[in-house]
Amino acid sequence: MNFTLNILGTASALPTMKRYPSAQVLDVRGRLFLFDCGEGTQMQMRRMRLSYLNIGTVCLSHLHGDHVFGIFGLLSTMALMGRTSHLDIFAPKDFGKVLKFWKTAFGEGMRFEAEHHVLSADAPETVWESRNAELLAFPLNHRVEAYGFILREKEPMPNVRKDVIEKYGLTIAEIAALKRGEDVVRPAGIDAEPGPENGFMRFSGGPEPLVISCREATYRPYIPRSYAYCSDTAPFPRLHEWVGGVTLLYHEATFPEELSDMAAKTYHSTARQAAECARDAGAGRLLIGHYSSRYPDVSVFLKEAQEIFPDTVLANEGDVIEVPLRKFRI
């Protein structure tokens, strides 16, 4: 079950010879989510062998050019390739004007619907969900309207322990009830051989009812994974609460602490501030990026962040980060 992050671009504002503007693709069980779409996103997807047509959802954090200039080219290529499947685009309200212009100027012959879902949340809010996962959006603290996103797997149905099945001779109906989170209650009486699965009740085999507790009979098969995308933003008190406990946190780190005044002025974060958010959120791992072009060597960002949150890694173009599935041992 894939949960794989592909880093396409890590630059802020100005691209460099080695760094592209912001863009990431998260593969969740085969569905591709594109977070931001800076200039050059198509080329980076080609290099990383990611299919344009497999993108089902686009999440645009805000309408600064380094986060959206690639969307025109991407939509045009999708149309040229004959895409017919629906495309969901989650973006601030003003993106509607951008999408309307593209459709008017370049959308002739387009065979798919690119639907703009307007973001307006003032706290984490579910904006998309499937049977296995959900996408949440929440406001950030930037110079323009901006949003962060969380993509997380839903809690899996519990598995029933094999030793419990054998011990009690559980029927299919009883196993199903336990998987739904219900306790199984067998009334008092003489035990009988299992009958056909047509609703006949099993008896306890004793003078008292037998309760088979869901809590004791089942186990969680794996820990749901989650990813939070926070770019661009200045620090604010509630952010660490909203991304609390995420498996992998991407937090912009445009400047090192020596330019904290510049970060505050432009509503960005330093590497230290990103690390403080990860620490306070209890995140599993911190990924930083959106580096200022002033710094061709970004090791200063890593050193600064790791002093606060040791499990920090740098985002680099071409990185593929697999979030492993952690199974429970029984």
Side-chain angles (χ1 to χ4, degrees):
M1 295 188 291
N2 288 355
F3 204 97
T4 307
L5 183 66
N6 301 268
I7 307 298
L8 309 182
T10 65
S12 69
L14 298 177
T16 71
M17 291 294 291
K18 295 183 178 180
R19 300 197 178 278
Y20 284 73
S22 294
Q24 301 179 5
V25 170
L26 182 66
D27 180 345
V28 180
R29 305 184 182 208
R31 183 182 179 99
L32 301 187
F33 294 79
L34 174 63
F35 292 94
D36 282 338
C37 189
E39 185 180 359
T41 293
Q42 286 191 87
M43 296 303 298
Q44 290 294 81
M45 289 186 67
R46 285 282 193 193
R47 290 188 178 98
M48 299 185 72
R49 299 185 178 181
L50 295 167
S51 170
Y52 305 139
L53 300 184
N54 283 348
I55 294 175
T57 305
V58 177
C59 301
L60 300 178
S61 61
H62 63 293
L63 298 188
H64 280 160
D66 56 321
H67 294 258
V68 299
F69 280 163
I71 195 68
F72 277 18
L74 182 62
L75 292 174
S76 296
T77 297
M78 288 178 173
L80 286 170
M81 296 179 73
R83 180 185 180 113
T84 58
S85 59
H86 190 91
L87 180 67
D88 293 309
I89 304 177
F90 295 92
K93 179 180 179 181
D94 284 349
F95 178 71
K97 295 181 290 187
V98 177
L99 183 60
K100 182 179 180 180
F101 171 77
W102 178 84
K103 286 182 176 180
T104 301
F106 306 109
E108 185 178 357
M110 177 181 175
R111 297 168 58 197
F112 69 98
E113 176 60 28
E115 182 179 0
H116 174 210
H117 302 270
V118 177
L119 298 175
S120 61
D122 56 11
E125 179 180 293
T126 299
V127 295
W128 173 91
E129 63 181 325
S130 67
R131 185 170 61 89
N132 298 313
E134 61 181 345
L135 175 70
L136 296 89
F138 52 89
L140 296 174
N141 181 22
H142 198 42
R143 288 171 291 168
V144 298
E145 185 180 13
Y147 293 88
F149 300 93
I150 300 173
L151 198 293
R152 66 188 180 199
E153 293 177 315
K154 290 184 177 179
E155 193 72 32
M157 290 186 68
N159 285 348
V160 181
R161 300 171 61 102
K162 290 184 179 180
D163 59 324
V164 173
I165 295 174
E166 294 172 357
K167 178 180 178 180
Y168 294 107
L170 295 176
T171 66
I172 294 176
E174 289 173 333
I175 292 172
L178 290 168
K179 289 181 71 68
R180 291 194 300 268
E182 304 168 7
D183 292 341
V184 168
V185 180
R186 291 177 177 172
I190 299 173
D191 197 9
E193 292 295 320
E197 296 296 333
N198 58 1
F200 288 113
M201 188 173 291
R202 298 289 307 278
F203 292 93
S204 69
E208 299 294 332
L210 173 65
V211 177
I212 305 172
S213 166
C214 169
R215 184 173 182 178
E216 296 177 1
T218 64
Y219 65 95
R220 197 184 191 193
Y222 61 86
I223 302 173
R225 295 164 291 186
S226 56
Y227 173 66
Y229 180 83
C230 302
S231 184
D232 298 2
T233 187
F236 61 98
R238 301 202 64 185
L239 182 55
H240 74 270
E241 299 174 7
W242 290 347
V243 299
V246 294
T247 312
L248 178 63
L249 169 63
Y250 173 78
H251 194 299
E252 69 121 293
T254 307
F255 301 104
E257 197 64 23
E258 65 185 14
L259 289 181
S260 58
D261 290 345
M262 178 69 74
K265 182 179 179 180
T266 57
Y267 285 82
H268 284 293
S269 295
T270 67
R272 179 183 182 88
Q273 290 167 336
E276 289 171 343
C277 179
R279 178 198 63 197
D280 295 344
R285 172 175 285 189
L286 171 64
L287 177 68
I288 56 174
H290 201 260
Y291 315 113
S292 168
S293 59
R294 292 175 174 84
Y295 295 87
D297 179 4
V298 294
S299 60
V300 61
F301 294 87
L302 183 62
K303 181 177 183 298
E304 184 176 293
Q306 286 184 333
E307 290 175 354
I308 304 296
F309 192 79
D311 199 355
T312 300
V313 294
L314 294 172
N316 293 291
E317 276 72 1
D319 284 353
V320 178
I321 301 171
E322 179 67 40
V323 181
L325 195 66
R326 292 175 54 198
K327 294 186 177 181
F328 278 94
R329 294 182 180 179
I330 59 170

